[in-house]
Amino acid sequence: EAEVAQSPRYKITEKSQAVAFWCDPISGHATLYWYRQILGQGPELLVQFQDESVVDDSQLPKDRFSAERLKGVDSTLKIQPAELGDSAMYLCASSPRQGLENGYTFGSGTRLTVV
Amino acid sequence: GENVEQHPSTLSVQEGDSAVIKCTYSDSASNYFPWYKQELGKGPQLIIDIRSNVGEKKDQRIAVTLNKTAKHFSLHITETQPEDSAVYFCAASIYGNLFFGTGTRLTVIP
């Protein structure tokens, strides 16, 4: 079964340091999403890509967060500098061009702890 | 954006009993309603979904109902088993985006 790959699974970083997460969506999925999930809450969308273009980054804290999907395939989410409040699970998801109701799949996430 | 509310936040049931989780949404333009199960340390996994033109859908022990007039939808799990213990999230899709509820931690007591 096709999966969304994410790495690393866990990351511990000191505040003010830079951290990056990687996501490889299901092959052929045009849409890629990055979510942040704070413990005990539902996922919240940070950024959405259609191919290599950003279609929604309204909830992305752009002063410290950046995301790219240069070739329209895999994607990187970066935080610089990290703050204590950034500790959360960062989830990637992908869906086909035909719409998310036709196959929307999450990866296993990256658990970030900022100390 | 869409506002999705989910209740209860925690739910404990005896093995073999039924569990019901309820969600409401705010925007009548929402047209797709998936439910996800999230186990500890893992990403959410789709367990069942329903589109706005359908009132009910069933898959073995799991069913979802949708009331578009009242803007609420529910997840029903029958004959619960210990492996059903997890956090469950409802979501509503509008204009290609998913908005999630706050989750329900279900514990099935053997």
Side-chain angles (χ1 to χ4, degrees):
Chain A
E1 186 175 331
E3 293 183 345
V4 175
Q6 288 191 249
S7 68
R9 287 296 309 278
Y10 305 94
K11 180 71 178 179
I12 300 174
T13 191
E14 295 183 346
K15 65 178 182 178
S16 80
Q17 296 297 305
V19 62
F21 316 125
W22 177 80
C23 172
D24 191 12
I26 290 174
S27 178
H29 276 194
T31 310
L32 184 147
Y33 311 78
W34 281 103
Y35 287 87
R36 176 169 58 188
Q37 185 178 25
I38 296 170
L39 193 63
Q41 299 182 18
E44 293 180 313
L45 182 69
L46 291 174
V47 61
Q48 177 183 345
F49 290 91
Q50 183 75 15
D51 300 311
E52 67 275 7
S53 300
V54 173
V55 297
D56 185 355
D57 64 355
S58 57
Q59 300 304 312
L60 188 71
K62 299 181 187 64
D63 57 335
R64 297 185 300 108
F65 286 64
S66 63
E68 60 183 16
R69 192 184 184 198
L70 293 175
K71 297 182 180 179
V73 181
D74 59 338
S75 175
T76 302
L77 178 69
K78 297 179 181 178
I79 308 175
Q80 182 174 16
E83 296 180 352
L84 295 177
D86 296 331
S87 295
M89 173 82 88
Y90 289 83
L91 292 161
C92 180
S94 69
S95 67
R97 193 179 306 278
Q98 298 88 336
L100 57 85
E101 62 272 18
N102 293 296
Y104 190 98
T105 306
F106 280 94
S108 294
T110 296
R111 168 73 65 188
L112 173 67
T113 302
V114 181
V115 297
Chain B
E2 173 66 280
N3 182 40
V4 179
E5 296 189 355
Q6 183 172 348
H7 300 280
S9 58
T10 60
L11 179 60
S12 293
V13 299
Q14 292 289 332
E15 182 177 357
D17 288 350
S18 296
V20 180
I21 302 171
K22 299 182 179 182
C23 290
T24 60
Y25 60 100
S26 59
D27 198 321
S28 58
S30 291
N31 59 2
Y32 173 67
F33 306 90
W35 285 87
Y36 292 89
K37 176 183 181 181
Q38 188 173 26
E39 297 175 327
L40 194 61
K42 297 184 179 180
Q45 284 195 305
L46 179 70
I47 56 171
I48 196 168
D49 57 8
I50 191 167
R51 302 191 187 207
S52 59
N53 59 349
V54 176
E56 184 173 358
K57 183 177 178 180
K58 188 173 181 180
D59 182 3
Q60 299 182 358
R61 297 186 296 109
I62 296 173
V64 58
T65 59
L66 171 65
N67 183 326
K68 286 193 297 182
T69 302
K71 297 199 198 66
H72 67 70
F73 55 115
S74 301
L75 177 71
H76 304 251
I77 306 174
T78 59
E79 301 172 18
T80 54
Q81 301 167 2
E83 52 265 37
D84 294 330
S85 295
V87 178
Y88 291 80
F89 291 96
C90 62
S93 173
I94 183 170
Y95 309 129
N97 286 327
L98 271 182
F99 294 86
F100 288 83
T102 49
T104 296
R105 180 172 296 281
L106 174 64
T107 302
V108 180
I109 304 166

